[in-house]
Amino acid sequence: MSTLLAIDPLLEGDLFWTPLLIVLVKVLIVFVLGLIATMLMVWFERKTIAGMQNRVGPNKAGPWGLLQTLADGIKLFFKEDLLPERSDRFVFRLAPYLSLVPAFLAFAVIPLGGDYRDGNGGMVTLFGEQTRLQLADPPVGVLFALVVSSIAVYGIMLAGWSSGSKYPLLGSVRASAQMVSYEAALGLSIGAVLIVSGTLSTAGIVDTQSSIGNWNIVATGFVPFVIFLIAATAELNRAPFDLVEAEQELVGGFNTEYSSIRFALFFLAEFMNVITMSALIVTLFFGGPQPIAIGDTVLDIPLIPNALEGTVWLMLKVIAFLYFYVWLHATLPRFRYDQLMNLGWKILIPAALGWFILLAAQRVGTNAGWDQTVVTVSTALVLIIGYVLLNAAHKVSRNNREKNGASF
Amino acid sequence: MELFVFVAASIMILGGAIGVIVRPNPVHAALSLVLTLFGVAVMFVSLHAHFLAAVQVIVYAGAIVVLFLFVIMLLGVDRTEDISVEPITAQRPLAVVIGVGIAAIVSAAVVSSADILNRQGEGLDLTTVESPDANVRQVARSVFGDYVFAFELTSVLLLVAVVGTVLMARRISSSEKGK
């Protein structure tokens, strides 16, 4: 039974009251943490962008405007909930939840803390029970994040379709085409991490990254991280890939017809996704809750127990990425649609696939005891030949199209 | 517990399958298909095939049905269709005959091979079953070891299908028509 749910020693054997209570408390903490983090993220984004644009930003509700999001939320609760006449009622009501629930579910597999030092593997003891500071560690591990992100596409797609109006439909078709295209690059760069770590479990992936030299950003050779970062930004529909809500062309994107609390749910899901994705980047490439360490020298925060220190490190790393996303939003102009598709299909996917094959060849070479340099050089040669052939094919087909008078 | 999961998943699968046929709106039918695929994923999890469950959702629910929905939305056939008009007159009685026939063949196969189905877990590498990553290893060993030839042939078949589709969908320009 225990393996059906998750590989957590807490759930092995019969279920007693203490483990059950711990799990319930964990669920509650993760949910509330998600909500509060989202609230603060909205404030953080508005305030930071305001600072970058020489404005003040929200400053009325609460100290430094901290409660602005709460005030907006309460306002949205009391607004009239409109149901467009031409909408598909059931799907229109369902879509916001299809968007929100995956955003929270993905948060469940992120290790939120715990002591990964001295071979502890992230285990902590709570009330005499061994457990991890993470809601679930399913056997599919990080694939679970891909699963829920593939469900989240439905929320956006159905929201646009069920509104029964043109602009939301255009917005949602754009959004889902973009998300499906970039999911391939996202998956392939996760594959690179999995080859290096040799496990699917998120806790296991964190466990292998004990010092900066072992962090997957170094171990996978930097390229998968860059691809993951770009693909994740596109997956989140954030600037510079926010064609989904290009106000000049689409009014407001897939959520144009939504109002009141249903709109708030989409808004919440969007910001929750940013936090989850940042936490996923940190987990996959930057050692998650592991402290920063060079070789054996660990940068230890004094006075805090190691298990809680993990949470502090995770928060610091996640905030760095949240700032990075806000920064992108404030500075970069939007891509054109054909540029977006070219970047995704012609650059990111081939690059991710090539790097994946290179890492796999190196792994096979290590297992079989071959000479690493020979393996790397010969794989790279094969990949370069493949790339040249691909380019030649592009060129030939472009010439053919131009000869036939096409302009695309 | 396992019986409960089985019954719930079966209801999901069958309900979704009936929905695909019965719902007049194509988008609702596609959503019913998602329900069926999810039910199959739940079945995989209850059989401890976690990796297959994840792949089932990522590939089928996350990519294939999304493409179905794309086609439905872009072609604009997402309004209720009049299905009382029959373009090919013989297809309904034929569908009934074939449906009943397939059901009969499948039940016959299950009944006649009951003793084989009872032999559980043969051919499994038991040393790795306890590890959480065992699923991936077993699947990889089958796909890239025992059945690598069939697997590669299937992928070549898919590639041929893609190339064929592109070739057929290509607009033939006037200069080529003239030749």
Side-chain angles (χ1 to χ4, degrees), chain A residues 159-406:
Chain A
W161 173 78
S162 65
S163 299
S165 126
K166 282 199 183 66
Y167 289 121
L169 182 65
L170 281 175
S172 74
V173 167
R174 270 188 185 185
S176 31
Q178 175 180 333
M179 286 167 89
V180 171
S181 309
Y182 277 79
E183 209 155 72
L186 197 77
L188 282 170
S189 47
I190 289 183
V193 172
L194 297 183
I195 283 186
V196 170
S197 313
T199 176
L200 283 175
S201 136
T202 42
I205 291 172
V206 169
D207 203 24
T208 56
Q209 310 178 58
S210 52
S211 69
I212 287 186
N214 292 335
W215 279 5
N216 278 333
I217 180 175
V218 180
T220 57
F222 203 65
V223 174
F225 164 68
V226 175
I227 294 171
F228 190 92
L229 193 64
I230 297 174
T233 317
E235 194 76 7
L236 292 169
N237 297 325
R238 278 183 71 89
F241 303 106
D242 57 345
L243 294 107
V244 181
E245 39 203 58
E247 296 88 353
Q248 299 87 338
E249 305 154 24
L250 289 174
V251 187
F254 64 91
N255 51 18
T256 305
E257 299 288 346
Y258 280 85
S259 58
S260 179
I261 190 66
R262 287 192 232 283
F263 175 79
L265 292 181
F266 276 121
F267 197 70
L268 198 65
E270 211 178 300
F271 279 89
M272 185 73 215
N273 273 329
V274 179
I275 296 170
T276 314
M277 205 47 109
S278 305
L280 197 64
I281 293 173
V282 168
T283 306
L284 287 175
F285 293 99
F286 290 87
Q290 297 252 31
I292 291 174
I294 301 163
D296 287 334
T297 352
V298 179
L299 194 63
D300 191 77
I301 304 174
L303 296 176
I304 308 178
N306 281 355
L308 273 182
E309 205 184 309
T311 314
V312 175
W313 280 117
L314 182 82
M315 271 171 63
L316 288 177
K317 292 174 188 173
V318 168
I319 287 171
F321 274 96
L322 293 180
Y323 182 78
F324 174 75
Y325 275 124
V326 174
W327 193 8
L328 280 188
H329 189 175
T331 41
L332 288 182
R334 192 174 289 140
F335 268 64
R336 223 169 48 213
Y337 201 72
D338 60 323
Q339 290 172 331
L340 172 92
M341 285 296 160
N342 276 346
L343 177 70
W345 288 99
K346 292 184 185 161
I347 298 175
L348 287 188
I349 291 179
L353 188 65
W355 203 263
F356 179 79
I357 291 173
L358 189 68
L359 285 176
Q362 281 182 341
R363 183 71 191 256
V364 171
T366 322
N367 286 354
W370 297 333
D371 189 359
Q372 260 327 316
T373 9
V374 177
V375 171
T376 312
V377 169
S378 51
T379 318
L381 266 181
V382 171
L383 289 176
I384 288 170
I385 292 172
Y387 179 74
V388 170
L389 283 177
L390 185 73
N391 249 358
H394 274 316
K395 206 167 272 174
V396 168
S397 65
R398 194 181 302 127
N399 281 343
N400 279 346
R401 278 203 305 266
E402 277 165 10
K403 210 164 34 183
N404 291 340

Side-chain angles (χ1 to χ4, degrees), chain A residues 1-15 18-24 26-27 30 108-113 116 120-126 128-141 201-204, chain B residues 50 130-132:
Chain A
M1 190 54 227
S2 63
T3 46
L4 188 69
L5 295 173
I7 31 165
D8 192 336
L10 186 70
L11 300 171
E12 265 165 30
D14 295 324
L15 280 180
T18 332
L20 200 63
L21 275 178
I22 292 179
V23 171
L24 283 179
K26 272 203 226 172
V27 171
V30 166
V109 292
I110 310 277
L112 295 174
Y116 282 89
N120 267 337
M123 288 295 175
V124 289
T125 312
L126 291 175
E129 302 279 346
Q130 284 260 311
T131 185
R132 291 183 207 278
L133 289 185
Q134 114 186 48
L135 181 53
D137 190 13
V140 289
S201 136
T202 42
Chain B
H50 298 101
E130 281 305 307
S131 148

